[in-house]
Amino acid sequence: MWVIWDREKVESRKKHILEMIPICKKKNYHIAMTNPLFEFWLLMHIADISLYNTDDLYKNEKVNTVRRFIDKELSNILKDGYNKKKNKFNKNIVTIENITRALEQEKSFEVNLAKIIDNLGSNIGSLISKILNI
């Protein structure tokens, strides 16, 4: 069993995640988490993440009234292939090549669950590696 969370910046979210981690571990559930959100993992599939300012990624601030930084980047790259509000995502980006890129790029950020909670990072790759039996 896997539990997947976005950390997001809400402090109550952090409190709840910290409460749930020991419960999940006691039940032998695996945990995958991204900070600040899952779209960070998606961006690693299609962009050279090293070209981004890590503070911009981590803060993921609003860039207009409806979009945050990472959502806007995904939208810019994928053009009409991404819209979070309309649950629109171009599934064609999910290729072995792009998954491999994301797995490699993830290593440049925090991957330790205990540290992801306060740092830019993701350990979604651990789940994907299990699925792909890597």
Side-chain angles (χ1 to χ4, degrees):
M1 174 74 73
W2 283 81
V3 177
I4 303 170
W5 287 307
D6 284 350
R7 161 59 172 96
E8 298 179 1
K9 294 294 175 258
V10 181
E11 280 307 304
S12 62
R13 181 86 176 229
K14 177 181 177 178
K15 178 181 177 268
H16 290 120
I17 290 171
L18 289 172
E19 290 171 355
M20 292 302 298
I21 288 173
I23 294 168
C24 290
K25 287 184 177 183
K26 186 175 181 180
K27 293 179 180 249
N28 291 318
Y29 294 171
H30 300 277
I31 301 169
M33 183 166 48
T34 53
N35 189 358
L37 69 169
F38 184 74
E39 286 76 10
F40 174 55
W41 166 252
L42 296 178
L43 187 62
M44 287 190 273
H45 284 71
I46 57 174
D48 179 351
I49 209 78
S50 69
L51 299 177
Y52 289 89
N53 178 299
T54 56
D55 285 338
D56 290 340
L57 292 168
Y58 183 66
K59 290 177 183 174
N60 195 36
E61 293 182 353
K62 281 194 169 188
V63 293
N64 58 38
T65 56
V66 294
R67 289 224 165 123
R68 294 193 172 274
F69 179 75
I70 294 173
D71 288 343
K72 185 68 173 158
E73 288 300 304
L74 283 169
S75 180
N76 288 344
I77 294 168
L78 295 173
K79 311 272 184 262
D80 291 330
Y82 176 77
N83 187 315
K84 185 176 183 173
K85 298 282 184 207
K86 294 181 180 176
N87 199 24
K88 182 179 181 185
F89 177 70
N90 183 342
K91 293 162 189 68
N92 293 330
I93 73 160
V94 184
T95 65
I96 291 297
E97 179 183 334
N98 289 350
I99 291 170
T100 301
R101 178 185 299 119
L103 290 168
E104 282 302 311
Q105 293 195 109
E106 182 184 64
K107 295 174 187 173
S108 300
F109 301 94
E110 189 57 65
V111 295
N112 179 299
L113 178 64
K115 294 180 181 178
I116 292 172
I117 196 119
D118 290 314
N119 297 287
L120 179 64
S122 169
N123 70 339
I124 296 289
S126 59
L127 169 58
I128 301 305
S129 294
K130 286 268 191 200
I131 292 170
L132 298 176
N133 200 20
I134 297 176

